[in-house]
Amino acid sequence: MNTLLLTGFEPFDQDPINPSWEVARRLDGVQLRDDLRIVARQLPCAFATAPGSLAQLLAEHRPQMVIALGLASGRPDLSIERVAINLHDARIPDNLGQQPIDTPVAPDGPAAYFSTLPVKAMVKALREAAIPASVSHTAGTFVCNQVFYLLQHSLAGTGIRSGFIHVPCLPAPTTPHPTMALATQVEGLRIAALAAWETAVDVVESGGQVS
Ligand code: PCA
């Protein structure tokens, strides 16, 4: 049996819930295929503690694939992230009150890592299921990017594929942001994870932006 580690974040910025964890926890223990089972765990939204939690999860579960999730309020779709950068530039304090600005994630690391998931194939599979999705070229400069960068850094050269997906806000009466229903997000993650597992070589399909 292979393990797909799926992480979501605890709430942050005064929100009572974080959709990324709501999605992840509903998939904990789900058998995606005969040979693939999901283990979902929560990460803290704090620069000081997220790296240790991530390292512990990787050591404990020894996954064959990892997909980390985070909330990107303001985005309308499932954003399949392509690039993690070696930079912290926090717009708000994290859950421990830290707000690093213009510092590296890993002082000796490369400027960036690419996702090792087949990002285009994942978007294609989602769109074929009528779930809004796109490739994103920035995971921001907050804790999500930190986790994405350290995930890629830890697994570089191991053959274990990993990446990051930002999810939109959940429907709520007063939210000013675009939303996507929880059931759609959960189904989307199931589809994206299966596409990632079953696609060895990504499809070549235009999807970038001119500006
Ligand atoms: N989103 C934040 C951090 C935790 C989360 O869910 C981000 O995009 O960095």
Side-chain angles (χ1 to χ4, degrees), residues 13 24-25 40 47 71 114 123 161 168 197 199 207:
D13 197 19
R25 74 185 179 88
F47 289 102
L71 166 67
F114 286 119
V123 167
R161 294 187 296 157
W197 184 257
T199 308

Side-chain angles (χ1 to χ4, degrees), residues 155-175:
L155 297 179
T158 63
I160 300 167
R161 294 187 296 157
S162 55
F164 198 98
I165 299 178
H166 264 118
V167 302
C169 288
L170 295 172
T174 56
T175 183

